[in-house]
Amino acid sequence: MGDPVVLIANWLDGLLVGWGLADGWVTLIKTILGGVGISIFVLVIDIFLVWLERKFVARFQDRLGPNRLGPFGLIQPIADVIKLLIKENITPAGADKYIYNLAPIIALATVISLWAVIPLSPTMFGTDVNVGVLYIVAIGGISTLGILMAGWSSNNKYALLGAFRTVAQLVSYEIPMVISLLVPVILAKSMGINTIVSEQSIWFIFLAPVAALIFLISSHAELGRAPFDLAEAESEIVAGFHIEYTGMKFGMFYAGELLHALTVGALFSSFFLGGWQGPGAEAFPILGIVYFFIKAFAMYWVVAWLKYSLPRIRIDQMLNFNWKFLTPLSLVVLLLTATLDRLLINTSTWIYAGSMFFTNILLLIVLFQIMKRSGRRERKRVAEPKPIARPDGVRSVPTP
Amino acid sequence: MLNDWLFIGLIVLIAPVFPILALLIPRIIAPKKPHPLKNQTYECGIETVGDSWIQFKVQYYNFALIFLIFDVEIVFLFPWAVAYNQLPLFALVEGILFILILAAGLVYTWRKGVLEWH
Amino acid sequence: MTPLQILFILVAGVTLGAAFMVVTTRNMVHAALWLILGLFGIAVFFVLLDAGFLAVAQVIIYIGAISILMIFAIMLTRRIAQDVGSQISSGWGWAAGVSLLVFSGLAWMLSRWEGFHNQMPALDPGADPLIDLGKALVSPAGYVIPFEIASVLLVAALIGAIMVAWDKI
């Protein structure tokens, strides 16, 4: 009824079978067209995201953003793409040619392949493979490899240093992200993302707000965006692992990062905000897409908000935060959710939801106290007067 | 189930096609004027000093190692989580035990100072 | 030939080719990348055998963690990642002889195995292998002891590796 994809699929079926093709070939052709369709769809949205990102950053910084080309500056991204396409490709001397060219391809291809398992509506998804969550983690791991390849092949020690730090950061933050993903899996009793979305009679953000928060923070760090953007710290190591990339190759890293940000928004909305769910979504799948994109773009706005409001943190602060705070916290949340789920196994939905929610709030309050105390301790330690050297060789502590 | 994976297999092959196209277009229309000065590696605008290798800092390796251990742990936990609803109470205890043993490992590395970055 | 067989032969060719390149390429980083391609081929084999979970576990652990560890180790400890000198060692005659012997022995043994003529037992259409795996991992009649010992093993590996790589500054 309101489902264009099923209509097109049925029409194609009729057409291809009418041409006398065997069943297997028909499935193959439909799948190929589906893959190409979703890739093009995602890339078109990516181009729109370039404009959206610049408008967001402009508004956060109290200015207008691109408004010269086309109505509201909408043609700006197309001009950017054309500019990048006609730039000269300067390959640095001594660079490993194959790896150097492979890295941006991997960076963009992995983000596009993430969209194969994200359900846009009850019937519109690439495939509902039963290990969807782990597939997402696996593709994330491959994109990390792409960054390492980019840094190494540039034959530039700053690129290599930037790549190492970025990979250390990405790899560290993957742990709390995946552990916090175990919570929706327990609550929905399945790893398939479409199943997780359809099981959300109550949105999981109300059942597990702390897990949602951990997922948001760690995926934000996985994106490599501020406040975790050591990789692109322009004043420190001048653009990190993609220093030596010019033109469209750099464009692909940039586009891949923006698309990844939207993908994180889409994933968060699928896991915790109920994905395509909304009034009337089951009957008219096209409404499902609308709800899905509203939620995905709302989360993208939250991610942009975090990026443009927070200062950068140092790498040792970042890694401490991960291993000493987020990882133990995510393990605690996992155990808490598992225990509560078992204890409240046969109670009514309201008691279940209410007690999970309040336990999480309690956990947040306890955490807040711990953070306050440790923040006070840290501030006292930093505010101690440090010894300075004097010209006559006597070290003294300045009187405050 | 194989049909589910057909889409994934195809998209893994189709997805790189678009970036490859995006790389081939500049190869055709962009100017090509290589010059030794342009091809030098970038070092904040000054001449490169020394070979392109960096000092061995064991921290990088340590963090990748801890990540590996926790990664394997998480992969073990996923089937447990999926079947969790249909398991007896004993399964919760086993899961807690599993996680606690690995948390002990994390505490060990924390106390040994491996998690510091110098 | 069914499409599955054609796919299997293609993937097997890619995996064997990647394994060959690992051993013969001169650049260590290239060898690591060829290894990653080979591991990817193994993941595809798992999918062909209807073991989706193992395929993603293979990619996550081998390609996402172990390969990165190996590449770190290579990049951090070698100044020149290039092998110099001949790729063929001096005792190559003995090596060729031994590998030919092992290969023919294995081929003869496998040719006498009836397993190749059996069909793969089909799973119940309603059974979810993932839930069965989860149940088997924690049931006392299943694999719960190996499950818990695996965690102890992981902690032991962690402590051991830190002892080896530790560099008190």
Side-chain angles (χ1 to χ4, degrees):
Chain A
M1 182 90 37
D3 195 350
V5 172
V6 167
L7 286 174
I8 297 181
N10 288 337
W11 171 77
L12 261 179
D13 253 340
L15 191 64
L16 291 172
V17 168
W19 285 353
L21 282 178
D23 222 11
W25 285 105
V26 174
T27 323
L28 189 64
I29 293 185
K30 276 202 303 187
T31 317
I32 292 182
L33 285 176
V36 172
I38 204 160
S39 308
I40 295 184
F41 180 59
V42 151
L43 286 173
V44 167
I45 292 189
D46 196 10
I47 296 192
F48 171 66
L49 276 183
V50 173
W51 173 83
L52 193 62
E53 176 85 11
R54 288 177 69 168
K55 278 294 195 188
F56 272 161
V57 60
R59 296 299 169 149
F60 276 119
Q61 295 171 350
D62 204 18
R63 54 185 174 89
L64 283 178
N67 61 355
R68 291 278 171 207
L69 297 176
F72 297 109
L74 276 170
I75 315 283
Q76 181 75 41
I78 303 187
D80 280 341
V81 168
I82 297 180
K83 175 199 82 165
L84 287 173
L85 280 176
I86 61 178
K87 271 195 187 263
E88 179 179 352
N89 265 332
I90 305 178
T91 310
D96 196 331
K97 216 176 33 149
Y98 300 108
I99 308 183
Y100 182 74
N101 285 320
L102 196 55
I105 298 177
I106 291 186
L108 195 53
T110 50
V111 183
I112 298 180
S113 0
L114 274 181
W115 284 83
V117 291
I118 299 182
L120 303 178
S121 91
T123 53
M124 288 186 225
F125 44 84
T127 177
D128 186 27
V129 80
N130 68 336
V131 288
V133 174
L134 279 185
Y135 172 77
I136 304 243
V137 179
I139 300 284
I142 299 183
S143 76
T144 310
L145 209 58
I147 294 183
L148 206 52
M149 282 162 54
W152 169 262
S153 63
S154 306
N155 197 28
N156 179 334
K157 46 178 173 299
Y158 294 107
L160 194 54
L161 198 65
F164 276 149
R165 286 167 130 187
T166 310
V167 169
Q169 170 194 330
L170 292 186
V171 126
S172 301
Y173 277 91
E174 205 167 310
I175 301 289
M177 185 175 93
V178 183
I179 298 182
S180 70
L181 279 182
L182 273 170
V183 171
V185 170
I186 290 185
L187 293 175
K189 315 171 197 52
S190 158
M191 273 204 259
I193 301 190
N194 202 23
T195 319
I196 293 183
V197 174
S198 23
E199 288 274 331
Q200 290 190 39
S201 44
I202 306 180
W203 289 0
F204 286 161
I205 196 174
F206 298 118
L207 291 183
V210 184
L213 194 60
I214 296 176
F215 180 71
L216 185 63
I217 296 178
S218 31
S219 352
H220 195 89
E222 281 279 314
L223 287 175
R225 294 193 140 205
F228 305 104
D229 67 347
L230 227 18
E232 306 170 342
E234 269 152 32
S235 49
E236 289 177 30
I237 51 175
V238 201
F241 65 90
H242 47 71
I243 297 177
E244 296 283 359
Y245 283 93
T246 57
M248 203 54 202
K249 297 191 186 124
F250 170 75
M252 289 202 287
F253 279 119
Y254 184 65
E257 187 188 314
L258 286 181
L259 189 59
H260 201 180
L262 181 67
T263 313
V264 159
L267 285 173
F268 186 92
S269 72
S270 298
F271 289 132
F272 295 104
L273 293 180
W276 45 253
Q277 281 192 353
E282 271 93 10
F284 298 103
I286 201 137
L287 277 183
I289 294 195
V290 172
Y291 296 136
F292 172 80
F293 273 112
I294 291 179
K295 293 177 195 171
F297 276 108
M299 288 318 300
Y300 179 75
W301 179 79
V302 170
V303 165
W305 188 11
L306 285 175
K307 172 174 178 174
Y308 294 116
S309 324
L310 296 174
R312 185 175 301 140
I313 63 179
R314 286 193 325 252
I315 189 160
D316 59 315
Q317 292 172 329
M318 186 163 57
L319 291 171
N320 275 347
F321 178 65
N322 179 54
W323 290 107
K324 299 185 184 172
F325 184 72
L326 275 187
T327 308
L329 177 63
S330 54
L331 287 174
V332 165
V333 167
L334 174 67
L335 288 178
L336 212 60
T337 314
T339 320
L340 277 180
D341 187 76
R342 180 56 35 155
L343 287 178
L344 305 169
I345 195 165
N346 280 325
T347 58
S348 83
T349 330
W350 284 111
I351 301 184
Y352 185 81
S355 40
M356 288 215 118
F357 185 67
F358 283 118
T359 319
N360 275 295
I361 300 290
L362 214 65
L363 186 62
L364 274 177
I365 294 179
V366 167
L367 274 179
F368 196 60
Q369 295 302 326
I370 296 181
M371 274 163 58
K372 227 169 46 167
R373 207 159 299 157
S374 109
R376 205 175 296 155
R377 215 180 19 226
E378 184 78 14
R379 244 167 302 182
K380 215 184 304 183
R381 186 183 71 89
V382 172
E384 269 166 12
K386 300 183 189 60
I388 54 172
R390 281 199 346 207
D392 53 1
V394 176
R395 292 176 82 215
S396 71
V397 175
T399 50
Chain B
M1 183 168 66
L2 214 48
N3 275 330
D4 289 338
W5 287 93
L6 181 64
F7 190 93
I8 291 187
L10 284 175
I11 210 173
V12 166
L13 292 173
I14 292 176
V17 168
F18 295 94
I20 290 180
L21 262 171
L23 280 191
L24 286 180
I25 295 182
R27 207 173 275 249
I28 304 174
I29 65 178
K32 284 188 249 312
K33 304 193 180 71
H35 186 280
L37 223 60
K38 276 205 275 193
N39 285 349
Q40 271 179 358
T41 55
Y42 182 72
E43 195 159 334
C44 306
I46 56 178
E47 302 278 316
T48 323
V49 174
D51 273 318
S52 153
W53 62 285
I54 63 175
Q55 185 122 61
F56 177 71
K57 264 217 240 174
V58 73
Q59 276 91 25
Y60 298 116
Y61 190 80
N62 276 337
F63 283 108
L65 181 70
I66 304 178
F67 163 66
L68 171 63
I69 303 289
F70 275 89
D71 213 20
V72 179
E73 169 193 1
I74 292 173
V75 167
F76 266 110
L77 282 177
F78 264 95
W80 173 79
V82 171
Y84 188 69
N85 207 45
Q86 308 179 16
L87 293 172
L89 182 62
F90 187 48
L92 172 63
V93 174
E94 289 164 6
I96 293 182
L97 190 60
F98 187 82
I99 293 179
L100 279 182
I101 295 180
L102 278 147
L106 181 64
V107 171
Y108 172 83
T109 64
W110 185 339
R111 301 284 302 192
K112 273 287 183 195
V114 178
L115 299 176
E116 304 297 322
W117 179 281
H118 297 286
Chain C
M1 285 246 259
T2 71
L4 217 54
Q5 285 180 325
I6 300 181
L7 192 57
F8 172 80
I9 291 183
L10 276 175
V11 178
V14 167
T15 312
L16 286 175
F20 179 75
M21 291 303 294
V22 170
V23 180
T24 58
T25 186
R26 282 180 171 265
N27 189 328
M28 280 272 272
V29 177
H30 284 183
L33 293 177
W34 284 116
L35 181 65
I36 290 176
L37 185 62
L39 293 170
F40 215 75
I42 307 265
V44 178
F45 283 139
F46 279 131
V47 171
L48 292 179
L49 288 172
D50 252 347
F53 175 69
L54 285 178
V56 274
Q58 165 94 359
V59 177
I60 292 179
I61 296 180
Y62 263 107
I63 300 181
I66 294 185
S67 307
I68 291 192
L69 205 61
M70 283 198 290
I71 293 184
F72 265 14
I74 294 175
M75 288 181 185
L76 286 173
T77 58
R78 290 183 78 104
R79 216 178 125 166
I80 303 172
Q82 209 73 11
D83 242 359
V84 287
S86 163
Q87 291 283 67
I88 306 184
S89 74
S90 53
W92 69 274
W94 292 107
V98 168
S99 26
L100 208 59
L101 221 61
V102 171
F103 178 72
S104 40
L106 276 176
W108 177 77
M109 260 191 354
L110 284 176
S111 66
R112 296 163 62 90
W113 182 50
E114 297 94 30
F116 282 127
H117 304 290
N118 298 347
Q119 279 290 79
M120 222 166 44
L123 291 170
D124 286 328
D128 190 357
L130 202 49
I131 294 190
D132 287 337
L133 179 64
K135 284 194 197 164
L137 266 182
V138 291
S139 79
Y143 298 97
V144 67
I145 303 268
F147 183 61
E148 301 296 338
I149 294 192
S151 72
V152 177
L153 182 64
L154 285 171
V155 176
L158 181 62
I159 296 178
I162 287 181
M163 284 275 105
V164 170
W166 195 28
D167 193 16
K168 182 127 190 162
I169 301 175

